[in-house]
Structures are given as structure tokens and as C-alpha cells.
Amino acid sequence: MLNIKAIENLEEISHLKQAYFTQSTAPLDGMWHFGFALMSAHFGFYEQQQLVGYCCINGEGYMLQFYLADDAKTDSKQLFTLIAEQNSAVIGEVKGAFVSTAEPHYLSLCVDQSSVLNVNALMYQQTKRSTESKKNDLQLKLAEPEQLSAFVEFAATNIGAPEQWLTGYFSNLISRKELFGYWHEGELLATGECRLFDEHQTEYADLGMIVGQSQRGKGIATQVLNWLVNCANKRGLTPICSTESGNLGAQKAIQRAGLVALNRIVQIDFNH
Amino acid sequence: MIHWLQAPKSTQIAKYVECYWLIEKTADSSAYQHPKLNPDPSAHLIISPEDQAYHYDLNPGIACGAGSHWLFPHKQTFELDHSNAFIHLGIKFKIGALYSLPNFSDDLLALDRVELVQDTSLFKQLGLNDSQLIDTARSNPDQCCAQLDTLLTPWLAACSEDQHSILTNKALQQLNSATISALGEQLYCSQRTLERSFQRVTGLTLKQCQSMNRLEEMLEYLYQREATDLDWVDIAFKFGFSDQPHLIRYLKKQLGFTPKTYEKERGLTIDAYGGISD
């Protein structure tokens, strides 16, 4: 007998999340698994009051994680099928899932239910460290708290994200000393992020970057990435990053910086 | 729609008879005309007025005739024709009971069949007076049940048990809570012996019988609740159907998208035939 209940406090399932990340075959994407997943609704699977697994569903009805412990009595495919076919009144509507190829068990369950599958993003990681750090003309500077508004304005202009969200996002990165800027003659031309993980996959650093629209096509992206890769390597960390499947410019730059697209994030729509 | 359902008072009869039931549809009733009859491991002896037609879609095949008839255990879902007014007084036998009854049919283990009983030697032997019984059933259920107890006593007194029926009865007592593969050991015999005896007595495998019982239990649970209150994941695991998503899809469709009145009327019909008490 299995019951599904909403999880109010994510600490209740921290041991299951730990197991989930341990099972993955590559580091998971920071934005999806430490940003979007944490904002999603979580549901616990209980066998006789014993927590044996969980899943999380984002605001649009897409599943982002699914985990059932190996020693659970419930069959994972049976449970997954029941949920995918909207049978749980607690969970409600499930349209599909976002899943990466680095989560093979979850991916298999999703593929069983799939009607449409689209590659959403490519997941990169450094596979071998270069023996010497790459030569770099370009230098990034750590962002200071008083530069927050400059960073917010830059990102709002160049990627169109809402300022309110950017303010929270960047001020957190600044306080963690994970945000950098490439300045030229007092103007911010590119930003770089080298984000560390507080839990799970702590041997990796997640890279991010924005190049100003007017500066694109000059090789700045590759140089910013090289700087960020060195930054991670100096701390003994392996850099990872991801980019949308349609962003060919970013893909070229990431490849030139020596990262390899080993995995994919796919969007799967369920067939019901 | 009038209906009642009562267990026999006599303990001797109760060994073989699950319950007596009555269902009547009057001409002015707007009840659903083609209700489904879910799989049932029990046989029913259905007493009806001799000129009242019956029609079952056996899926595949049809059975039609008039008057009293046997409804044998069935693995298929039957569809009934209830477009006209009718009245049925039913005797629902316990699973496997027919095996122990003195010979009344050429084929004891008939499954998925409906057979005319009017004018058979059994009918005469029992001295069933359909019109009198049905009148009593309408006016005084208690008295009707007492009459049926009396009528059935000489017949059921001639029942005999053998090793197969004894073993099967023990298995039936544990079937709903047991894991089938562990049942042989619990009953101190080989799994093969148990399966063979069970099949011989009931015409069904242990697994088939367990599934039918669970389905009935699940339907009883479903009919007692509003469609909006149902959590199908809970239901699937509670009744052991988590490996059958097609069944869940089917039931959801049946219950979820139909007007409330349809459900209630439809439920009632199945209640009476299937022996679901409420």
C-alpha cells in the first residue's frame, strides 16, 4: 500500500535528494535542480508511513525529479504510470517532464510515457583539465555590492529578464562572491558566474555568462569562459554549464573553452 | 427501483448460499437500460416470472430466454438489457458451492454462461413457485427469505464435501489477504495440489478469483464515494490493481464523465447482482 502526501518542509526529504544526486551519472544542471526544482511542489511517497521516495512538479505541470528508493516495495514503473496518467488527486495534473540523460532511471520512466520529446538544453562538463591555464588577455573582476544596479541593468538590457528577479539573483551571487564582470573604460561588457554547490555534487562549479549584445561575435564569450574555467580549476573544481539547444553561438564558445556536451536536458510530453 | 439483499438465517444454508436478493424495475423507472454486470466468481439462481424475458450480452455471444435461469460464474463483463420492466429474485451461491451440490447440471463448472432453469427437473424437485415467491419478496422480505431457506434445505442437505472442496474452502477464507504463492504452504499442501483442487471446484484459478474479489471490493468502495473524492493512486494500490493502468483508465472513464444519476442507478443494478451490500 502506497500513499502520496505533499511535502511541506524539504528537509524531510534531504536524504532522498542526496540519494537522487548520487544516482545521477553526471553532475545535474544548477538552474534546474537548485533553482527550479526547489521552487516546485514536492510530494512524498509513503509505504506504511515510511518515506520511500518523492517527486516534484513545477508550476506548469511538468515533473522535474522522481525518485523511489531501491528497497521500496512499490514498483517504480507502476507508480510512475499512475502519476503520469493523472491518477493522484494530491499531485493533480502532470503534463510531462523535464529530465536529463544523466538521470537514466527517471529518463527511462519518462520515455515509457512519452508522446513528444524535444531537446531543451545541452549539458557540458570539463572532461580533462589542461595542464596550464589558458592564456587570457581578458580579466574579470569580482562584483562588488555597490555594482549591483549596474549588473541588473546590464542583464535586463541584454537578456530581457525581469529586474526584480535579477536583483535578488545577483545580490545573492555577489554576497557569495560568485559574480564577475568584464569592464572596459567603465562600461560593463560581459558578466561571468562561477557558482559553487552547497550540497550534493560539491566537486563541481556551475558556470554562467552574459555577453553584451554589441560585443558579440568578437570572441569575448570564449575568453570569459576560459577565465571562469581557470577560476574553477584553481579551486580544484570541475566546471559544468548548460545552454539551450538553439543557442549555437554559446555552444561554439563553450566547446572552444574545452567543455564537452556529454548530456542533454529533454522536455517530454506524456501521452494521455 | 426496489431492492433488498439478505443473508440466509439457517446456518446449514449459509454454508452454501451467500445471500438472497431482489431487484425490480417498474415501467416508469428511468434507470439506465444497459447496465454492465462485472465479473463474478459466484453462481446465481435467478427466479423470475415465467413469461419475463431475459437478455445477456455475454461478450462474446448472447443468451436470451424467459423465466427463471442460472447465471454461472463469469470472467467476462456481461451487459444486461433492462429496457423493460422486470423483477428478479436471486439466490447468490458461495464461490465453489455448485461443486458440492447434488448433480443438477451436466456441466458443473460452466463459466460465462446463462442457462434456462424453468421446467428442469431441479426446478420441479425444488417445487419453486415463482409467482408466489416473488409476491412475498415484494411484500415481506423476511418471510420470503425464510421460505427460501425451507425450500433449499432438503436440496442442500444432500451436499457432500470432498478433499478438493474442503481445501478450496480453506483457501477462499484466506484468499483476499494472502499472497497466492504462499497459500500452499499456509494450507500444508503443495501449490500444485491447491491450484488443481481450486480450479476443479470453482472453475477459476486462484489469481482469477482473487482479482474478481478485489474488483468487487474496489467497486463497492467506488460506489460509496463521489467521483471527485477519489484518489486513483490510493485505489490502485489499496486493491492491488497498480499493475493494471488500463483498468483504472476504464473505470475512471465510466465514473468520471457520467451524470450523477446515471452512476447511482447503474450502481444499484450492479449492487444487487454482484451482492454488494449497502
Side-chain angles (χ1 to χ4, degrees):
Chain A
M1 185 65 204
L2 182 128
N3 291 104
I4 301 176
K5 288 182 222 162
I7 298 281
E8 304 297 341
N9 181 355
L10 287 184
E11 275 176 29
E12 282 174 57
I13 58 164
S14 61
H15 61 294
L16 298 178
K17 287 247 177 186
Q18 178 68 49
Y20 188 75
F21 280 91
T22 306
Q23 265 188 0
S24 67
T25 58
L28 300 180
D29 185 70
M31 183 176 74
W32 283 95
H33 289 276
F34 295 85
F36 300 157
L38 296 185
M39 293 187 290
S40 299
H42 282 71
F43 302 95
F45 308 142
Y46 295 84
E47 286 175 350
Q48 275 80 44
Q49 318 302 322
Q50 182 81 29
L51 188 62
V52 294
Y54 75 96
C55 69
C56 59
I57 315 283
N58 75 8
E60 279 83 50
Y62 282 85
M63 193 183 283
L64 303 185
Q65 293 175 349
F66 179 93
Y67 176 77
L68 189 63
D70 289 337
D71 57 1
K73 291 185 182 64
T74 307
D75 180 273
S76 60
K77 181 170 177 173
Q78 288 177 14
L79 175 60
F80 194 89
T81 305
L82 286 166
I83 294 172
E85 296 194 354
Q86 337 252 19
N87 286 313
S88 169
V90 182
I91 295 176
E93 188 189 32
V94 185
K95 288 183 195 149
F98 285 94
V99 54
S100 77
T101 51
E103 300 149 274
H105 192 190
Y106 173 35
L107 176 64
S108 301
L109 294 168
C110 289
V111 168
D112 287 340
Q113 307 295 328
S114 71
S115 62
V116 180
L117 185 152
N118 282 305
V119 176
N120 174 274
L122 283 74
M123 290 162 64
Y124 291 83
Q125 68 186 95
Q126 189 181 41
T127 49
K128 55 174 186 265
R129 280 178 204 180
S130 51
T131 45
E132 53 191 284
S133 58
K134 294 193 175 176
K135 185 178 172 305
N136 231 345
D137 300 332
L138 178 151
Q139 292 298 316
L140 273 73
K141 285 204 176 69
L142 186 65
E144 303 293 336
E146 60 272 19
Q147 294 171 330
L148 176 62
S149 60
F151 275 87
V152 169
E153 196 192 325
F154 173 81
T157 309
N158 289 290
I159 61 168
E163 289 194 19
Q164 194 189 350
W165 181 81
L166 285 166
T167 304
Y169 180 74
F170 279 151
S171 65
N172 177 47
L173 287 182
I174 291 172
S175 70
R176 295 172 59 98
K177 301 191 188 311
E178 294 174 350
L179 181 65
F180 305 88
Y182 168 53
W183 300 82
H184 184 72
E185 294 175 353
E187 193 188 349
L188 185 56
L189 300 183
T191 66
E193 300 164 25
C194 181
R195 300 181 296 260
L196 275 50
F197 294 101
D198 296 332
E199 50 180 355
H200 319 307
Q201 54 191 49
T202 48
E203 65 274 38
Y204 295 92
D206 199 11
L207 309 185
M209 150 190 83
I210 303 168
V211 177
Q213 274 165 350
S214 60
Q215 303 298 313
R216 290 178 193 171
K218 299 180 183 173
I220 289 181
T222 308
Q223 294 195 58
V224 169
L225 277 169
N226 280 338
W227 192 92
L228 292 168
V229 167
N230 287 340
C231 172
N233 286 164
K234 272 185 225 157
R235 298 173 185 230
L237 302 174
T238 302
I240 63 170
C241 70
S242 68
T243 188
E244 287 180 2
S245 57
N247 192 344
L248 301 180
Q251 289 166 28
K252 279 184 198 158
I254 296 166
Q255 264 176 318
R256 281 193 210 107
L259 274 64
V260 184
L262 291 182
N263 285 289
R264 306 287 179 273
I265 295 171
V266 293
Q267 177 178 359
I268 290 178
D269 288 302
F270 294 156
N271 57 354
H272 43 64
Chain B
M1 196 78 80
I2 302 171
H3 98 298
W4 54 255
L5 186 151
Q6 277 194 30
K9 296 278 181 296
S10 150
T11 50
Q12 198 196 345
I13 304 292
K15 220 174 135 187
Y16 297 101
V17 173
E18 182 88 35
C19 63
Y20 305 124
W21 52 265
L22 179 84
I23 182 168
E24 175 169 23
K25 186 194 160 192
T26 49
D28 56 348
S29 166
S30 61
Y32 187 62
Q33 300 193 339
H34 297 279
K36 296 272 202 299
L37 200 52
N38 294 297
D40 188 349
S42 292
H44 296 253
L45 177 57
I46 297 177
I47 300 163
S48 316
E50 58 183 331
D51 56 348
Q52 179 184 295
Y54 62 80
H55 184 285
Y56 293 83
D57 186 337
L58 305 181
N59 183 31
I62 53 164
C64 43
S68 301
H69 54 279
W70 280 101
L71 171 62
F72 287 106
H74 54 108
K75 294 188 278 189
Q76 297 300 323
T77 298
F78 291 172
E79 189 177 287
L80 308 170
D81 184 347
H82 281 177
S83 47
N84 297 315
F86 69 87
I87 183 158
H88 290 316
L89 172 61
I91 301 170
K92 180 182 183 182
F93 287 85
K94 294 211 158 164
I95 302 169
L98 267 49
Y99 177 85
S100 300
L101 292 177
N103 214 359
F104 64 91
S105 164
D106 296 338
D107 186 1
L108 277 172
L109 296 183
L111 284 180
D112 296 307
R113 262 172 50 190
V114 174
E115 224 172 67
L116 199 66
V117 75
Q118 200 141 304
D119 302 327
T120 61
S121 56
L122 172 75
F123 207 68
K124 289 173 186 146
Q125 178 197 326
L126 289 178
L128 292 176
N129 180 337
D130 46 70
S131 54
Q132 180 264 319
L133 275 169
I134 287 168
D135 284 345
T136 317
R138 276 198 183 106
S139 59
N140 190 339
D142 286 339
Q143 196 187 331
C144 175
C145 293
Q147 278 181 13
L148 285 168
D149 271 6
T150 310
L151 278 169
L152 294 177
T153 298
W155 184 32
L156 299 187
C159 282
S160 58
E161 301 295 330
D162 65 8
Q163 62 193 69
H164 304 296
S165 61
I166 291 168
L167 185 57
T168 296
N169 284 332
K170 285 183 189 158
L172 281 167
Q173 282 165 24
Q174 300 190 24
L175 190 58
N176 289 352
S177 54
T179 307
I180 287 173
S181 58
L183 209 49
E185 202 175 326
Q186 280 171 25
L187 299 174
Y188 309 105
C189 68
S190 77
Q191 198 67 22
R192 186 174 145 80
T193 302
L194 175 62
E195 278 288 357
R196 288 176 66 180
S197 290
F198 194 86
Q199 181 116 34
R200 187 172 170 143
V201 174
T202 66
L204 302 165
T205 65
L206 288 159
K207 178 75 189 164
Q208 285 169 339
C209 190
Q210 189 186 56
S211 295
M212 288 156 103
N213 286 342
R214 283 180 176 172
L215 180 67
E216 189 185 324
E217 242 184 285
M218 176 160 79
L219 290 171
E220 181 169 12
Y221 178 91
L222 294 179
Y223 290 134
Q224 286 166 358
R225 283 161 180 80
E226 298 287 327
T228 48
D229 293 342
L230 299 173
D231 188 310
W232 291 92
V233 172
D234 283 355
I235 293 163
F237 283 106
K238 189 180 171 84
F239 297 102
F241 290 108
S242 59
D243 57 343
Q244 296 186 49
H246 56 279
L247 176 69
I248 304 294
R249 277 199 293 273
Y250 171 77
L251 289 171
K252 235 163 69 171
K253 206 171 152 196
Q254 293 288 312
L255 292 172
F257 302 104
T258 51
K260 209 75 221 153
T261 47
Y262 168 112
E263 264 176 51
K264 291 241 166 69
E265 295 292 355
R266 200 172 134 275
L268 262 179
T269 312
I270 294 174
D271 282 357
Y273 275 64
I276 292 170
S277 53
D278 52 8

